[in-house]
Amino acid sequence: MSNIQQLPSRQVSNRGMEGGRRSLCRFLMPLSFPWVLLWVLALGGLVLMPGAVLAEVPNAVPPEGTYEGEHVEQPIEFPHDTHADVNKINCMYCHTYARRSPVAGIPPTSKCMGCHSIIATDKPRIKQLTEYWDKRQPPPWKKVHDVPDFVHFTHEKHLKRFVFDNEGMDVENVAEVCAFCHGEVKKMTVANKVKPLTMGFCRRCHEANDGPFDCWKCHK
Amino acid sequence: MSLKNVFTDWSRYRKGIEEGGFHDYEHMWGMAVDLNKCIGCNACAVACYAENNLAVVGEEKFYKGQAMHWMRIERYWDEPDLGEDRVKEFNHHGANFIPMMCQNCNAATCEPVCPVAATYHTPDGLNAQVYNRCIGSRYCSNNCPYRLRFFNFYSYYESSWPEPLHMQLNPDLTVRDKGVMEKCTFCVQRIRAAKDKARREDRKVRDGEFLPACAQTCPTGAITFGDLLTLHTPGGGVGETKVAQMWRDHQVELGKTRQTKQNPELRGYRVFEGLNTDPCVMYLERVREV
């Protein structure tokens, strides 16, 4: 098992990111005065830009890596931003199984209708939803974040580690933990895959956060 | 790569033997199979097929030795120890049965030969097989003295589970494709579920909380499954599991190539332990009426 830990992490494919880092180094090579000033300003601007950097989650190192997922057409263009960002609804209010089961789950239509039989009933998307509700059919949502069948991932354990057993972590801020693997969904309408969710992505995070390394924890 | 794996596993094993206990193990899952109770009904094998998504290969491939029964009942009609003249007599008594599943050897012979480290020893004392890493060299199967590793020579998905039979597949497990070695896992998905539950409730896994499919199904209760970790505690650990108690009762010890029993009447033995594989499955010899 120990030899698995010592595999150089660059074997795991995330070439886009590392290529970017290397070219950044090449840019930094001329370290003359005006260049340094320029870079300090640019980097400072990035850090200070509101919303560009996530708030900190205590006792956790967020996983690195990005991915450009294709836009997935959903039956209703569900606005995550309106719910999670504007109205500040907790992720786990709708994805309620995340805290106690392997899958986060999609809420039953009755949960949507719990609010939307009263709120914003005149909006076209809500009308669409009401149609499904009247037909007694759930909207055929499509899965965006899917890991292969040979991977066993549990939301429950990850939430336990990063939220419920994490001192100084407020459950209100759970979106920041979700964003580790799902990106900033609260800035999107329908969710889009923005993290690679490859084995390398998982492993780097397990390495940084002292996660288990046994193969049979995730594969079997 | 695999050589390093060997050294890690081996030094951990030696340390476990020399220091009187596998202290860095979380558990050491083991079994005791009472052959007196075994009636050879094959229910365990059927349960294994259902639980572990095992493909049915068909008669023709079975004769070629390509069957993938992680759990099988072996039959014997002779008892050579009794001498030539008695063998005939025993034939009238019918066959002897011995259920064979992966013995989860502590010093497993399959582990050192894997060129890609697809098989290794987990901190649960299990001999793990990582399907995604397996390249199908079949060295492990050739090196297993028990012949309990099985190779997917073909892709059986469509032939074995035509629609709508694919609905019966166990979602907790991978469906293996061709070119991959597979073996009994002591139902690792059940082990994991029990451990997860125990962790959620902030306690240790209780003895008998879960059983592998074979032990659960056995109509006569011939298979006992549990944690062997307390076996090294001298004088019997507090809260010793049932299976460890059985090992102790029959004076079978881990880390030995030959058992030294004070009472030779005791029935416990391990298959091929002279090969120093140190299996975690103990069998209780069958006693026959002469």
Side-chain angles (χ1 to χ4, degrees), chain B residues 4 6 10 13 32 36 39 55 63 70 88 105 117 134 149 152 174 198 208 216 225-226 234-235 244 251 255 288 290:
Chain B
K4 188 139 183 262
V6 177
W10 184 250
Y13 170 67
N36 248 358
I39 52 171
Y63 282 132
W70 290 3
K88 225 178 205 173
C105 312
C134 178
R149 285 178 155 268
N152 281 272
T174 319
Q216 187 192 8
F225 177 84
Q251 294 176 359
R288 307 215 94 170
V290 184

Side-chain angles (χ1 to χ4, degrees), chain B:
Chain B
M1 190 175 169
S2 68
L3 196 65
K4 188 139 183 262
N5 215 28
V6 177
F7 288 144
T8 318
D9 284 350
W10 184 250
S11 63
R12 188 200 251 171
Y13 170 67
R14 287 310 316 168
K15 226 171 118 192
I17 295 299
E18 278 152 24
E19 292 177 5
F22 291 80
H23 302 295
D24 62 333
Y25 276 35
E26 274 177 66
H27 300 278
M28 185 191 262
W29 302 112
M31 269 189 192
V33 184
D34 192 343
L35 299 181
N36 248 358
K37 291 183 185 169
C38 180
I39 52 171
C41 68
N42 267 307
C44 48
V46 175
C48 187
Y49 265 84
E51 172 75 17
N52 291 308
N53 299 343
L54 298 189
V56 181
V57 296
E59 196 179 353
E60 193 189 318
K61 281 168 190 151
F62 189 94
Y63 282 132
K64 284 183 190 164
Q66 295 174 1
M68 288 181 289
H69 35 209
W70 290 3
M71 172 95 194
R72 64 166 183 250
I73 305 278
E74 290 184 359
R75 305 168 299 173
Y76 299 95
W77 275 274
D78 57 329
E79 291 201 17
D81 286 356
L82 294 168
E84 281 285 320
D85 50 329
R86 299 293 296 281
V87 168
K88 225 178 205 173
E89 191 185 320
F90 267 84
N91 275 341
H92 299 299
H93 285 78
N96 282 324
F97 303 109
I98 177 167
M100 290 296 285
M101 72 297 283
C102 175
Q103 309 282 306
N104 280 283
C105 312
N106 285 312
T109 47
C110 51
E111 283 168 18
V113 289
C114 180
V116 289
T119 172
Y120 73 101
H121 224 71
T122 71
D124 273 10
L126 293 174
N127 180 256
Q129 173 73 20
V130 187
Y131 306 125
N132 303 68
R133 199 179 280 176
C134 178
I135 55 165
S137 70
R138 285 177 278 151
Y139 286 138
C140 56
S141 148
N142 289 334
N143 218 34
C144 175
Y146 307 98
R147 288 287 172 269
L148 284 162
R149 285 178 155 268
F150 306 98
F151 189 66
N152 281 272
F153 281 95
Y154 300 94
S155 190
Y156 294 105
Y157 184 76
E158 268 155 32
S159 62
S160 208
W161 302 285
E163 276 190 56
L165 285 183
H166 69 288
M167 302 291 276
Q168 76 173 13
L169 289 169
N170 186 350
D172 293 341
L173 265 155
T174 319
V175 179
R176 284 80 52 185
D177 208 338
K178 67 179 162 191
V180 169
M181 193 58 80
E182 59 183 60
K183 64 175 268 295
C184 162
T185 59
F186 272 4
C187 286
V188 68
Q189 68 278 11
R190 295 189 180 201
I191 296 178
R192 192 207 321 253
K195 275 170 80 180
D196 282 2
K197 193 173 174 225
R199 209 167 158 196
R200 219 174 298 144
E201 292 167 10
D202 216 8
R203 58 174 172 83
K204 283 188 174 169
V205 180
R206 287 189 217 106
D207 185 28
E209 188 180 343
F210 72 99
L211 290 171
C214 51
Q216 187 192 8
T217 315
C218 184
T220 54
I223 303 172
T224 316
F225 177 84
D227 198 342
L228 285 180
L229 207 56
T230 53
L231 203 59
H232 279 286
T233 326
V238 184
E240 194 163 63
T241 56
K242 198 179 162 199
V243 67
Q245 195 64 53
M246 278 173 88
W247 279 58
R248 205 183 287 281
D249 287 350
H250 286 271
Q251 294 176 359
V252 177
E253 284 170 46
L254 284 167
K256 281 196 173 176
T257 50
R258 199 186 175 85
Q259 302 295 340
T260 43
K261 294 184 184 179
Q262 288 152 353
N263 181 2
E265 299 270 289
L266 293 172
R267 297 184 291 137
Y269 72 97
R270 297 188 295 173
V271 179
F272 292 161
E273 65 184 346
L275 299 174
N276 196 18
T277 49
D278 201 6
C280 278
V281 180
M282 175 189 76
Y283 290 90
L284 299 181
E285 217 172 325
R286 190 169 193 180
V287 181
R288 307 215 94 170
E289 222 176 286
V290 184

